[in-house]
Amino acid sequence: MIKVENLYKQFGDNEVLKNISTSIESGEVVSIIGPSGSGKSTFLRCLNLLEEPTKGKVWINNQDITDRKTDISKVRQEIGMVFQHFYLFPHMTVLQNLTYAPMRVKGESRETAEKKGRELLAKVGLSEKESAYPNNLSGGQKQRVAIARALAMEPKLMLFDEPTSALDPEMVKEVLNVIKDLAHTGITMAIVTHEMGFAREVSDRIMFLDEGKLLEEGSPEEFFKNPKTTRAKDFLEKVL
Ligand code: ADP
Ligand code: MG
């Protein structure tokens, strides 16, 4: 599903990603963890070209997205992204947030888009909110709408960048539970998170980034029980 080869990203003379190579299989759930500023968001954003790599290649579904000839907007239709801050359309109802892109970008009829939108709202436990506006929702509800909105495009790949970091503690679980349910559906996911218990439970693989390098990757058991590098040990000691 994703292949990354010798990826570098530089902002000015700040080298933020240093020679990252990895791949993610279809259906795999990968959590990306590491200290603040280690390049996690930048890495995730390179996977849908929200950031343009300085060097290296990224393939999504066998399409080289770093090749200028690739139609990136087409590839992006298959990638859902959920951010720390939800970026819902504030002037649209919850249901309109979900139907907008499927109608606009995919040409779905209103009827189809609304039917699917309602199914997704049921999935994230927000059926009763379809006519509400984002400003009248809690943080956890907003984030669940953002996830449903991304899913409305029927992506093959979902990217999450700290989806619970902006939430009050009591709302973290409701969002993590929605993501956990998704993990069992066979969709491919890459999740940047500081929720170690969640990462351990839900991931097929952990990637540990430190100072722009992919220092370790392995199964959650391997990584959490027996981290190979001192950097990872130190990190885990601080967060666990
Ligand atoms: P993380 O998500 O792990 O906290 P980021 O990927 O956000 O790390 O940032 C890694 C480094 O890249 C930081 O030093 C940050 O200041 C820098 N950085 C990120 N985005 C930009 C940008 N758009 N312009 C300049 N520097 C950036
Ligand atoms: Mg980040």
Side-chain angles (χ1 to χ4, degrees), residues 1-5 20-32 40 43-44 46-47 57-62 79 156-160 186-192 203-207 209 214 217:
M1 176 64 72
I2 305 176
K3 189 165 185 263
V4 176
E5 205 173 81
I20 294 186
S21 298
T22 190
S23 54
I24 298 179
E25 303 302 316
S26 180
E28 211 181 357
V29 177
V30 174
S31 290
I32 300 158
K40 304 180 298 296
F43 176 66
L44 208 63
C46 282
L47 300 182
K57 284 192 182 300
V58 178
W59 287 268
I60 303 289
N61 251 338
N62 294 318
I79 308 176
K156 297 200 174 76
L157 167 64
M158 283 286 282
L159 307 176
F160 294 88
I187 191 170
T188 311
M189 307 208 283
I191 311 165
V192 174
S203 314
D204 298 307
R205 183 149 46 108
I206 304 288
M207 293 185 184
L209 254 68
L214 180 55
E217 54 180 329

Side-chain angles (χ1 to χ4, degrees), residues 35-42 45 84 161-162 192 194:
S36 181
S38 57
K40 304 180 298 296
S41 295
T42 306
R45 293 163 66 84
Q84 185 174 349
D161 192 356
E162 297 196 32
V192 174
H194 291 294

Side-chain angles (χ1 to χ4, degrees), residues 116-159:
K116 217 173 53 188
R118 290 195 172 101
E119 283 166 12
L120 285 166
L121 285 179
K123 258 191 202 146
V124 301
L126 289 172
S127 291
E128 76 285 8
K129 296 292 184 190
E130 70 167 67
S131 303
Y133 284 85
N135 283 341
N136 298 320
L137 302 178
S138 71
Q141 291 171 334
K142 280 183 207 169
Q143 192 59 302
R144 285 185 283 150
V145 172
I147 293 169
R149 181 180 61 176
L151 292 172
M153 288 296 282
E154 299 175 327
K156 297 200 174 76
L157 167 64
M158 283 286 282
L159 307 176

